[in-house]
Amino acid sequence: MSPNRPQIADVAREAGVSIATVSRVLSGNTPVAPDTAERVRSAVETLNYVPHAAARILASRRTDTLGLLVPEISGAFFQPLLRGIEAGASEAGLDLLIHATQTIPVKARHHTLGEHNTDGLLVFTESLDEKELSRLNAIGFPLVLLHQTPPSSLNIPVVTIENRAGARALVEHLITRHDRRRIAFLRGPEGQEDSTLRERGYREALEAHHLPFDPALVVRGEFDRMVAFESVNTLLSTGMQIDAIFSGDDEAAVGALQALLQAGRRVPEEIAVAGFDDQVLAGSLTPPLTTVRAPTEEVGRQAVQILVRLIKQEEVVSRLILPTELVIRQSCGCPARL
Amino acid sequence: MSPNRPQIADVAREAGVSIATVSRVLSGNTPVAPDTAERVRSAVETLNYVPHAAARILASRRTDTLGLLVPEISGAFFQPLLRGIEAGASEAGLDLLIHATQTIPVKARHHTLGEHNTDGLLVFTESLDEKELSRLNAIGFPLVLLHQTPPSSLNIPVVTIENRAGARALVEHLITRHDRRRIAFLRGPEGQEDSTLRERGYREALEAHHLPFDPALVVRGEFDRMVAFESVNTLLSTGMQIDAIFSGDDEAAVGALQALLQAGRRVPEEIAVAGFDDQVLAGSLTPPLTTVRAPTEEVGRQAVQILVRLIKQEEVVSRLILPTELVIRQSCGCPARL
DNA sequence: TTGTACGCGTTATCAG
DNA sequence: CTGATAACGCGTACAA
């Protein structure tokens, strides 16, 4: 780094004390005489001394840093998640090291973040393979999973949301309030837990109202605008009869709306549309999107709290499922409120 | 951390070599006999050895990590910026430490990220005070500013966008194509450089077409939906005569659109609206938003490249201004394209 | 090509 | 309350 940064020894000399004393006033966990402390502080000030983090970590065996592994940081879904995590970490006085795994092959993700540079890790769905997960778990490294239930062999806490019930309530709304019977489902990524559970909720709703499940109505959404746009286009062009679309997430719902708009189908009169997540944009769409509110920011905040407890070796719940809530707007056919 | 993590010595013993050799095959900068290297690698594998980052940094005096200081990470504007920076860092084989400064008082931001834990820093507008900036600059620490020209006393490279010309082109479009003459401006945060330059572009456009500048037409937008919503509401309720709104950014434009919708004013017939940035949501608004495209992702990518060169002690440009581009949609009054 | 030994800048322990 | 000194885990001259 830079040539002659001041070190703790320089501060000690300047203040006329030992390095141990300097260390003490800086960390504050050991009492130091007030005037001595003041001398040290002013020496720090005049020398512009900044403790070297690596040396500190090496000696103290703590990093005071949390790690976050997410597929991407720029998606709209991740905004509130990041905000919650940021806030939680900040409140706990911890730094946050973020790694977006999307561009990196799963194999290479192993050691960018781990026991060597963080005190604990927050892992979002699909961001780490099972092998590394179990390695970290085996050495007792604090781990919290987000939106992903761990393999049954591993006892790692999860924080996620109530996907199934939320999806079911939404689809039942479409059925009972708006009398929709041919409801297409834009499913998310294959094997993704949120997606799977939302599909389950969708099927439960159908069953509960004695509607047949038609596999042809389940198409790819991938939580992605473009994919959803294409899928809905195909659906429409094949003449498939539908009167509603339940999109696995709001992002895909945007694509669905665009496809319907382009095809000249009226929403919600002809085809109702609903999403999941209640991203910021949901209320600004045309028509405003009926969806399920996922408390994503809260997920982040809670996950950090659990991770912090884990780091302190305190007891934690092994599974936290935050409630979701139906958000009625106009894309389902409900009237606008004043 | 965990009790008995394997250390380099364990690997050395397991492979029957010295720790120096292990270090060499791991870093790869010094030739090692192929079979020896293989033995080491398999020892690493069986022991699940992961080098301790702090020890490595302390010994090598490099962190291989870039730092990013931004006011917030969850705003829509920052999505492409983060993506560009992530990508750039990843390509350069560097880790990325991100700090959102918004919640932290300016005074306390000093040493969360700096010469002690990164090799260089990317600093977004208003994220660091001048004192810390000059301290870092003084010790020769690599720094790149984003969307913010450095104090003239400091020679720190900047990467930003062509705000003035972009704003001017947009406002001229409103004037010449749509014959608007009472154009309100929703300005961004006081003293923020982007905001200042966009206002300058706005005023230049007015002057160029001999339109009077009316201070009453310049109101607070703060790059924020709610603030813009309130400002436009006030503007409308005071009976101020306007036929267009140029919003300092897309975010504020959303608020403006909502206020206009609620007031029953037709966009663009009665009042045209335009924004700046071309965020992802711009095309999904009603009507689709005419705006200026800011190459935000590219800003991130370029900034990382400059920072990397700086770290390598290579020559760099001191000022990189990326071009902006008018994006015509329908909120200005232009017809939709097929 | 490989091994030895020292240094990196702190914190923690143990005397005083 | 304060000082000396041994870790902390790895990189890297230097020597072999």
Side-chain angles (χ1 to χ4, degrees):
Chain A
M1 259 157 274
S2 47
N4 31 15
R5 292 179 43 202
Q7 305 191 356
I8 198 171
D10 300 316
V11 177
R13 196 175 315 114
E14 173 85 12
V17 297
S18 74
I19 62 167
T21 299
V22 176
S23 178
R24 283 174 191 127
V25 349
L26 258 38
S27 69
N29 12 352
T30 314
V32 172
D35 54 335
T36 316
E38 198 37 60
R39 283 216 313 287
V40 170
R41 263 188 285 275
S42 81
V44 166
E45 182 69 20
T46 64
L47 293 180
N48 269 326
Y49 169 69
V50 181
H52 193 255
R56 201 167 215 177
I57 291 169
L58 189 57
S60 69
R61 305 155 127 302
R62 289 174 316 135
T63 67
D64 288 332
T65 299
L66 259 33
L68 170 65
L69 283 170
V70 278
E72 49 162 340
I73 46 183
S74 58
F77 170 82
F78 294 98
Q79 292 182 43
L81 185 70
L82 284 175
R83 184 164 42 227
I85 293 173
E86 248 300 326
S90 176
E91 283 163 18
L94 298 170
D95 276 342
L96 183 61
L97 206 42
I98 301 175
H99 226 272
T101 56
Q102 196 166 52
T103 53
I104 306 168
V106 179
K107 292 295 234 176
R109 292 177 195 170
H110 292 339
H111 306 129
T112 59
L113 248 43
E115 73 275 26
H116 57 295
N117 51 12
T118 58
D119 292 345
L121 229 47
L122 256 25
V123 183
F124 195 84
T125 292
E126 325 264 281
S127 303
L128 215 50
D129 66 2
E130 187 172 337
K131 188 182 167 205
E132 177 72 354
L133 225 44
S134 61
R135 184 186 76 79
L136 290 169
N137 189 239
I139 64 175
F141 186 71
L143 241 35
V144 173
L145 262 31
L146 302 174
H147 287 238
Q148 177 192 30
T149 301
S152 54
S153 57
L154 304 179
N155 180 31
I156 306 176
V158 208
V159 179
T160 186
I161 60 171
E162 183 43 72
N163 281 299
R164 198 189 42 72
R168 175 168 173 169
L170 179 61
V171 176
E172 292 199 325
H173 176 84
L174 292 173
I175 297 172
T176 61
R177 297 283 174 164
H178 303 290
D179 200 32
R180 307 293 161 149
R181 338 211 88 231
R182 297 282 297 168
I183 306 173
F185 175 59
L186 294 178
R187 64 167 155 62
E190 187 82 39
Q192 213 270 344
E193 187 169 310
D194 289 328
S195 174
T196 306
L197 293 174
R198 288 170 196 178
E199 178 167 353
R200 192 170 303 165
Y202 161 76
R203 297 180 67 155
E204 281 184 14
L206 295 183
E207 273 178 40
H209 295 274
H210 311 295
L211 291 178
F213 169 72
D214 181 351
L217 290 180
V218 176
V219 298
R220 293 180 65 223
E222 301 294 318
F223 295 170
D224 181 280
R225 280 179 203 205
M226 288 309 296
V227 173
F229 179 83
E230 299 295 349
S231 291
V232 172
N233 263 348
T234 312
L235 216 48
L236 295 176
S237 66
T238 58
M240 181 70 69
Q241 209 189 16
I242 59 175
D243 54 17
I245 297 177
F246 168 39
S247 173
D249 84 330
D250 289 352
E251 209 63 45
V254 173
L257 285 174
Q258 284 173 335
L260 291 169
L261 177 70
Q262 185 179 292
R265 312 293 286 261
R266 291 181 311 146
V267 178
E269 295 81 357
E270 268 184 86
I271 300 181
V273 173
F276 204 115
D277 283 345
D278 196 25
Q279 292 181 7
V280 272
L281 58 67
S284 311
L285 295 173
T286 312
L289 188 69
T290 289
T291 186
V292 176
R293 198 185 95 79
T296 309
E297 180 166 347
E298 195 58 21
V299 166
R301 196 175 230 105
Q302 294 281 351
V304 170
Q305 289 189 9
I306 292 179
L307 186 55
V308 169
R309 269 189 236 117
L310 226 40
I311 293 172
K312 291 187 192 158
Q313 316 248 37
E314 299 175 6
E315 284 300 311
V316 300
V317 296
S318 70
R319 188 172 178 79
L320 183 59
I321 303 182
L322 300 183
T324 50
E325 178 192 1
L326 203 52
V327 177
I328 304 295
R329 294 202 182 89
Q330 288 78 66
S331 68
C332 60
C334 280
R337 294 177 312 162
L338 278 212
Chain B
M1 258 158 273
S2 47
N4 31 17
R5 291 181 44 201
Q7 306 191 358
I8 197 170
D10 300 316
V11 177
R13 196 175 316 114
E14 173 83 13
V17 297
S18 74
I19 63 165
T21 300
V22 175
S23 177
R24 283 169 190 132
V25 349
L26 257 39
S27 68
N29 2 341
T30 314
V32 172
D35 53 335
T36 316
E38 197 38 58
R39 282 216 314 287
V40 171
R41 262 188 284 276
S42 81
V44 166
E45 181 71 20
T46 64
L47 293 180
N48 269 326
Y49 170 70
V50 181
H52 190 125
R56 199 168 215 177
I57 291 169
L58 192 56
S60 69
R61 306 158 125 304
R62 288 175 318 134
T63 66
D64 288 333
T65 299
L66 258 35
L68 169 64
L69 283 171
V70 279
E72 51 162 339
I73 45 183
S74 58
F77 170 83
F78 295 98
Q79 292 183 41
L81 185 70
L82 284 176
R83 184 166 39 230
I85 293 173
E86 250 297 328
S90 176
E91 284 164 16
L94 298 170
D95 276 341
L96 183 62
L97 205 43
I98 301 175
H99 226 272
T101 56
Q102 195 168 54
T103 53
I104 306 169
V106 179
K107 291 295 233 174
R109 291 178 195 170
H110 291 338
H111 306 129
T112 59
L113 248 45
E115 74 276 27
H116 57 295
N117 51 13
T118 58
D119 292 344
L121 228 47
L122 257 25
V123 183
F124 195 84
T125 292
E126 323 266 279
S127 303
L128 215 51
D129 65 3
E130 186 170 338
K131 188 182 166 205
E132 177 73 355
L133 225 45
S134 62
R135 184 186 74 80
L136 290 169
N137 190 239
I139 63 175
F141 186 71
L143 241 34
V144 173
L145 298 178
L146 303 173
H147 287 239
Q148 179 191 28
T149 301
S152 54
S153 58
L154 304 180
N155 180 31
I156 306 176
V158 208
V159 180
T160 186
I161 60 171
E162 184 43 72
N163 281 300
R164 198 189 43 71
R168 174 168 175 168
L170 178 61
V171 176
E172 292 201 325
H173 175 83
L174 292 175
I175 297 172
T176 61
R177 297 285 174 163
H178 303 290
D179 199 33
R180 307 292 163 149
R181 337 211 89 230
R182 296 283 297 168
I183 306 174
F185 175 59
L186 294 178
R187 65 167 155 60
E190 187 81 40
Q192 213 270 343
E193 186 169 312
D194 289 327
S195 174
T196 306
L197 293 173
R198 288 170 198 178
E199 177 167 354
R200 191 169 305 165
Y202 161 77
R203 297 180 67 155
E204 282 184 13
L206 295 184
E207 273 178 41
H209 295 274
H210 311 294
L211 291 179
F213 169 71
D214 181 351
L217 289 181
V218 177
V219 297
R220 292 180 65 223
E222 300 294 318
F223 295 170
D224 180 278
R225 279 180 204 204
M226 288 309 295
V227 173
F229 179 83
E230 299 295 348
S231 292
V232 172
N233 263 347
T234 312
L235 217 48
L236 295 176
S237 65
T238 57
M240 181 71 69
Q241 209 187 15
I242 58 174
D243 54 18
I245 297 176
F246 168 39
S247 173
D249 84 330
D250 290 352
E251 208 63 44
V254 173
L257 285 174
Q258 284 173 336
L260 292 169
L261 177 70
Q262 184 179 294
R265 312 293 285 262
R266 290 179 312 146
V267 178
E269 294 81 357
E270 267 184 87
I271 300 180
V273 173
F276 203 114
D277 283 346
D278 195 25
Q279 292 180 6
V280 273
L281 59 68
S284 311
L285 294 173
T286 312
L289 188 69
T290 288
T291 187
V292 176
R293 198 184 94 79
T296 310
E297 179 167 347
E298 195 59 19
V299 167
R301 196 175 230 106
Q302 295 280 351
V304 170
Q305 289 188 8
I306 292 178
L307 186 55
V308 168
R309 268 188 236 118
L310 226 39
I311 293 173
K312 292 187 192 160
Q313 316 248 37
E314 298 175 5
E315 285 300 310
V316 300
V317 297
S318 71
R319 190 173 177 78
L320 182 59
I321 303 183
L322 301 183
T324 50
E325 178 193 2
L326 202 52
V327 177
I328 303 296
R329 295 202 182 87
Q330 288 78 66
S331 68
C332 59
C334 280
R337 293 177 313 164
L338 280 211

